[in-house]
Amino acid sequence: MSTHRDRLRQAMGDKVQFVQGDDACAYGAILAGCTFFAGYPITPATEVAERMAEILPKIEGCYIQMEDEIASMGAIVGASWTGVKTMTATSGPGFSLMQENLGYAIMTETPCVIVNVQRSGPSTGQPTLGAYGDMMQARWGTHGDHEIIMLCPASVQEAMELTIVAFNLAEAYRTPVLVFIDGELGHMRERLVIPEDDEFELVERTCATSREGYRPFAAGENLVPAFAPFGAGFRTYVTGLTHNEAGLPRSASAPIHDQLVRRLADKILRNTDQIIRYEEFGAEECEIAIIAYGITARACRDVVEEGRQRGLKVGLLRLITIWPFPDEVVARWAARVQAILVPEMNLGQIVHPIREAVAGRCPVMLQSKIGGELHTPTELSEALEELRCQVC
Amino acid sequence: MKQEIRICGFGGQGVITAAVILGKAAAVYDGLIACQVQSYGPEARGGAARAEVIIANEPIGYPGIHAADILVAMSQEAFNRYINDIRPGATIIIDPDMVITYEAAPYAHLVPSTRIAEELGNVVVANIVMLGAVTALTGVVSREAMLASTLASVPSKFKALNQQALEAGMTVVAGLSP
């Protein structure tokens, strides 16, 4: 008899495939155990929904096409409270609509994953082309004090791997986690190797065990409360209002609000060593560094590799976790290089937390490119050379 | 080894499908590294379509094409637009029934893919005829990988037709009558 995992692999198809970044996000979700997807198709994220719609019915999962992205986000929050792993996928205009319920997921400590295949804005912008214009919206798009976790893959394989990681982080910290790619990576095809189950880790939310004295929002030392799914017989009240440990609204209490919102932030900030991922290349003997993320980092890697072959002291810090921001890693690089180049497919977003972390230790030059085309290796080399002339 | 291949024509000719099959032959069946990107107009048919594949034996960074090592042009408009973005000594393959004026590339290989596909009974396999020609002329992927990738990518009732198209493309460039 075939097990659930067997059927899941059968539904995904061959172990080695030549597929798009969007497909890879869907496969990562399936491997992570996601059984509920609610979404509203939008270019260039539609293929994520297509794959989920194909696979989920074959594994007794549930795919719902919602009336819009507000409802999509609401549906994945609600479904997560039944104890299942949930995901939605969208692009800029849809991500804007999700902001209200994204905050609700943070406040109610609801694990879920949101994939944003970015395209240019503002508004409907350039639907078929890539961009990284939602990086700051991801951080502060929903109102109020909060932390968020966001991962930025640079390849098709990594899109799958980091979607699995996103689910693990969502489950571990009971919080929404964002996977951000762009239209170019979303539609780019590369080899994807689907790993065996013993080749990756899976994390499940900690569930409440005893109904006796259960308080749904009381957290222990790790600051993450034990979860009781709807229907399991626990008394749980879920609200976006400031609530006490019993989950009951206490919206006029300063100490309860202070304690709650600080805990929500601290459960992420105290675990940055578990959450922050990055890749360093040419870190040793580096005079000029590039700090990049997402698809842009691929051309940066070419340029740094080629530059080092010519004897140039250049290096690359590729940020994989963008939020929480890896200040310490950036500060460490800033302390030993003479200048930093930040290429971004926007008019300058992640350059701001970089400058804050660099804190004046060295010049930071932004290289913006918008309109849907990637930074070419030639453009990056020229910017590096310009920066080198200025400081070396 | 790094080969940049651009396949272009108009929407509906299957240029993106051809690029996907080529990339899959390299990445899945030949164990090479491949990366495929595409661009197409908003029209389902008739607009300019272009797909690119990079095939290498080491990781591919920048996924765009600088200058093509192999150019397959299936429409005059696409030929005119991309004939200058090639590397010296590039392999150029055109369909002479679709690209009438090709003085810019007198050494181009002429593969009447549309006509061959029509003779085989279905014009939709013109793209596969081109893939046969690419494989035989350049060896960028093996014949076995190309056949496996093609058969894995088409509906089962069209497998025989696609195999004939692929073989016809390989044969025509060997100077033999298909």
Side-chain angles (χ1 to χ4, degrees):
Chain A
M1 222 180 93
S2 68
T3 66
H4 179 72
R5 297 297 290 183
D6 291 339
R7 271 182 286 135
L8 175 157
R9 279 169 189 287
Q10 211 168 12
M12 284 188 290
D14 295 340
K15 182 176 172 64
V16 182
Q17 303 188 16
F18 190 63
V19 291
Q20 300 182 324
D22 281 1
D23 303 321
C25 291
Y27 289 170
I30 295 296
L31 287 171
C34 173
T35 52
F36 183 93
F37 182 99
Y40 186 83
I42 180 170
T43 301
T46 302
E47 291 82 357
V48 184
E50 284 180 357
R51 290 297 86 71
M52 296 306 276
E54 279 168 16
I55 298 169
L56 284 173
K58 296 178 184 164
I59 59 167
E60 284 127 46
C62 177
Y63 170 93
I64 305 184
Q65 182 161 325
M66 302 302 294
E67 66 269 36
D68 61 28
E69 291 86 348
I70 301 174
S72 303
M73 190 64 214
I76 67 163
V77 170
S80 182
W81 272 93
T82 70
V84 301
K85 296 185 185 178
T86 68
M87 183 169 89
T88 189
T90 190
S91 189
F95 190 58
S96 290
L97 288 178
M98 290 178 181
Q99 296 306 316
E100 181 184 10
N101 281 331
L102 179 63
Y104 185 72
I106 293 169
M107 191 61 147
T108 57
E109 301 185 64
T110 307
C112 54
V113 172
I114 300 108
V115 175
N116 181 0
V117 188
Q118 295 168 90
R119 62 193 229 189
S120 287
S123 190
T124 34
Q126 295 178 292
T128 59
L129 300 171
Y132 282 80
D134 309 346
M135 304 300 286
M136 274 294 174
Q137 186 191 22
R139 180 66 188 89
W140 294 119
T142 195
H143 58 278
D145 291 303
H146 62 276
E147 291 298 322
I148 193 84
I149 299 175
M150 190 230 266
L151 306 171
C152 257
S155 69
V156 170
Q157 184 76 24
E158 198 181 35
M160 182 198 64
E161 291 167 359
L162 290 182
T163 305
I164 298 174
V165 172
F167 274 95
N168 288 345
L169 294 171
E171 293 287 309
Y173 302 110
R174 278 190 62 176
T175 194
V177 176
L178 313 174
V179 177
F180 267 42
I181 57 172
D182 70 286
E184 198 70 32
L185 179 51
H187 283 164
M188 187 170 95
R189 284 183 181 83
E190 288 185 300
R191 172 166 44 196
L192 178 83
V193 181
I194 297 173
E196 298 302 317
D197 281 348
D198 59 7
E199 290 173 326
F200 60 93
E201 188 199 8
L202 279 187
V203 176
E204 310 293 332
R205 65 193 78 168
T206 304
C207 283
T209 47
S210 169
R211 267 175 260 177
E212 194 83 13
Y214 174 67
R215 286 181 303 154
F217 293 93
E221 223 164 89
N222 72 353
L223 305 182
V224 183
F227 182 85
F230 289 164
F234 291 75
R235 195 175 289 271
T236 305
Y237 188 88
V238 183
T239 177
L241 287 168
T242 290
H243 45 274
N244 63 13
E245 291 185 343
L248 300 173
R250 292 291 180 269
S251 56
S253 166
I256 289 177
H257 182 81
D258 185 283
Q259 197 186 8
L260 171 64
V261 174
R262 282 185 198 277
R263 178 176 64 76
L264 295 182
D266 285 345
K267 70 178 178 182
I268 291 170
L269 294 177
R270 287 194 200 162
N271 289 296
T272 50
D273 56 333
Q274 300 293 314
I275 300 169
I276 288 177
R277 290 163 177 253
Y278 56 91
E279 196 177 71
E280 295 175 304
F281 184 70
E284 64 294 331
E285 284 194 60
C286 176
E287 284 173 352
I288 313 276
I290 305 180
I291 302 183
Y293 55 87
I295 199 163
T296 310
R298 297 172 66 113
C300 296
R301 173 78 192 241
D302 287 348
V303 166
V304 164
E305 207 160 319
E306 189 264 342
R308 288 185 81 87
Q309 275 168 14
R310 287 193 291 127
L312 296 178
K313 292 174 177 170
V314 290
L316 170 66
L317 169 60
R318 177 167 78 91
L319 305 180
I320 298 170
T321 304
I322 305 294
W323 309 116
F325 193 73
D327 311 87
E328 286 173 20
V329 183
V330 172
R332 185 153 45 78
W333 274 69
R336 52 165 204 250
V337 300
Q338 296 184 29
I340 294 172
L341 176 71
V342 182
E344 289 198 80
M345 285 175 69
N346 55 45
L347 289 181
Q349 298 199 9
I350 299 307
V351 71
H352 296 296
I354 288 174
R355 285 197 175 120
E356 196 177 309
V358 168
R361 288 183 191 90
C362 69
V364 176
M365 186 170 107
L366 168 70
Q367 188 184 15
S368 275
K369 191 167 183 183
I370 59 171
E373 286 177 4
L374 309 186
H375 292 73
T376 65
T378 310
E379 289 166 348
L380 290 162
S381 289
E382 284 167 4
L384 269 184
E385 191 53 33
E386 189 189 324
L387 199 51
R388 208 165 64 89
C389 290
Q390 281 174 24
V391 297
C392 294
Chain B
M1 184 275 279
K2 186 176 177 188
Q3 291 280 299
E4 302 187 341
I5 303 116
R6 175 173 286 135
I7 305 175
C8 52
F10 47 79
Q13 282 181 315
V15 305
I16 290 166
T17 305
V20 174
I21 291 173
L22 176 59
K24 189 166 160 180
V28 176
Y29 297 98
D30 265 345
L32 296 164
I33 311 282
C35 179
Q36 183 265 325
V37 293
Q38 63 207 38
S39 83
Y40 41 86
E43 310 88 354
R45 281 182 214 289
R50 165 190 114 197
E52 291 158 354
V53 190
I54 304 172
I55 297 175
N57 49 17
E58 52 188 49
I60 296 164
Y62 178 64
I65 282 198
H66 310 270
D69 299 288
I70 301 169
L71 174 70
V72 178
M74 295 177 71
S75 78
Q76 186 74 54
E77 185 195 348
F79 174 85
N80 296 349
R81 190 184 295 180
Y82 296 113
I83 190 59
N84 294 317
D85 294 334
I86 55 168
R87 229 177 275 281
T91 302
I92 299 165
I93 304 172
I94 61 173
D95 184 330
D97 295 321
M98 310 304 280
V99 182
I100 310 299
T101 309
Y102 52 92
E103 285 84 7
Y107 46 89
H109 299 272
L110 308 184
V111 177
S113 59
T114 308
R115 184 154 46 83
I116 292 171
E118 277 166 357
E119 284 164 12
L120 289 170
N122 198 331
V123 71
V124 299
V125 294
N127 58 343
I128 306 298
V129 175
M130 281 301 194
L131 285 181
V134 168
T135 307
L137 277 171
T138 69
V140 67
V141 294
S142 68
R143 288 169 186 251
E144 297 73 25
M146 180 54 84
L147 178 62
S149 177
T150 303
L151 296 183
S153 306
V154 300
S156 45
K157 62 175 176 176
F158 294 116
K159 282 188 199 298
L161 173 67
N162 278 277
Q163 183 164 355
Q164 285 168 11
L166 198 60
E167 283 162 2
M170 290 175 181
T171 310
V172 73
V173 295
L176 302 169
S177 170

